[in-house]
Amino acid sequence: MAQDRLEPEPTRTIGDNALRQIGTVALLSVLLGFVMQGFILAAKLAGGSAPAGVLFISDLAQGVTWSFFVCTGVSIGVFLSKARASVAGLIALASAPIAVAFAKSAQKTMNGILKVADQPAVLSLATISILRAIEYGILGWLLAKLVQQDSLKINRYIGSGVLIGVVFGGAIVFLTYSSSVTMGTALPLPKTLGTVVNEVGSPIGCALLIYIGQWITHRHKLISEQDS
């Protein structure tokens, strides 16, 4: 019968479990990138806009790259730093700007391949990087706390993602919209909706992947005990 807490593990298995958890999150983060872009596309369509196919491909490259690097970075901090949530937070904090840089690079590369002009950024890369570093640093710290407690209650993980997504994602959406108004080009509704989905949904998705990584380890442990 599944429990809400994991039993203490032998020291020799902790490293293997961490690698299994990180690998699981890394693989699922690619899928998350596709899912998020699907939600973003749906939000834009709901707002009355159908983006061109080449722009969708460009955004897809950016979204999948971002999801992979940021969620994998969070998982490395969380699962390799079980004893210290502060270390997990710092690793996640450092991974976010790296993920932003790689995602932007992937988008630019894809734009070059597709011969599409780069879209002007509303917020600077530095601003986005700083905000997301703080955002995912705190998210990594919260998730590491849950892993330390060996919690298998999904609502705690999702709740952490929702909290961070609403606070920091909401701030990024507000700053993006305010900056666009200041520049004299108010953000269109479809773009606004897509930004909301992306900024609020991404931390929720990463939190869910951390839960899945933790759950798989628990299931693996139960199966091993039954076979022994």
Side-chain angles (χ1 to χ4, degrees):
M1 180 176 178
Q3 301 175 350
D4 287 337
R5 293 178 63 85
L6 298 173
E7 297 297 327
E9 298 174 284
T11 302
R12 68 177 181 274
T13 67
I14 293 177
D16 292 338
N17 287 340
L19 291 177
R20 184 183 303 112
Q21 290 164 324
I22 293 169
T24 298
V25 172
L27 288 174
L28 291 179
S29 65
V30 176
L31 176 60
L32 175 63
F34 281 95
V35 171
M36 286 301 304
Q37 287 305 308
F39 284 138
I40 292 171
L41 176 60
K44 290 180 177 180
L45 290 174
S49 173
V54 289
L55 292 180
F56 176 75
I57 294 174
S58 175
D59 290 342
L60 181 63
Q62 181 185 35
V64 172
T65 303
W66 158 255
S67 178
F68 174 78
F69 280 103
V70 76
C71 292
T72 302
V74 170
S75 72
I76 290 173
V78 169
F79 293 129
L80 289 183
S81 306
K82 287 186 177 181
R84 301 187 64 179
S86 59
V87 175
L90 288 174
I91 294 175
L93 182 149
S95 70
I98 295 173
V100 170
F102 274 107
K104 192 63 179 177
S105 177
Q107 185 184 43
K108 284 182 174 292
T109 299
M110 187 58 66
N111 285 345
I113 294 174
L114 298 173
K115 300 185 184 305
V116 177
D118 291 337
Q119 298 178 341
V122 179
L123 289 181
S124 69
L125 190 63
T127 300
I128 290 292
S129 297
I130 292 172
L131 289 173
R132 286 183 173 170
I134 299 172
E135 175 183 10
Y136 283 88
I138 297 176
L139 178 64
W141 179 80
L142 289 174
L143 296 176
K145 284 289 187 181
L146 293 177
V147 171
Q148 284 179 12
Q149 297 166 10
D150 290 331
S151 174
L152 285 176
K153 293 184 177 180
I154 189 172
N155 60 303
R156 295 183 178 180
Y157 292 82
I158 297 299
S160 297
V162 170
L163 174 63
I164 295 300
V166 170
V167 173
F168 286 93
I172 292 175
V173 171
F174 174 77
L175 290 175
T176 301
Y177 186 83
S178 299
S179 297
S180 69
V181 172
T182 301
M183 295 167 61
T185 54
L187 209 63
L189 178 60
K191 181 68 174 179
T192 301
L193 292 176
T195 303
V196 170
V197 170
N198 182 56
E199 298 300 338
V200 176
S202 290
I204 297 174
C206 282
L208 178 60
L209 296 191
I210 296 299
Y211 167 78
I212 293 174
Q214 185 77 333
W215 181 85
I216 287 177
T217 295
H218 177 59
R219 295 301 302 172
H220 182 270
K221 179 176 181 292
L222 290 179
I223 294 172
S224 298
E225 290 176 349
Q226 291 172 358
D227 292 340
S228 60

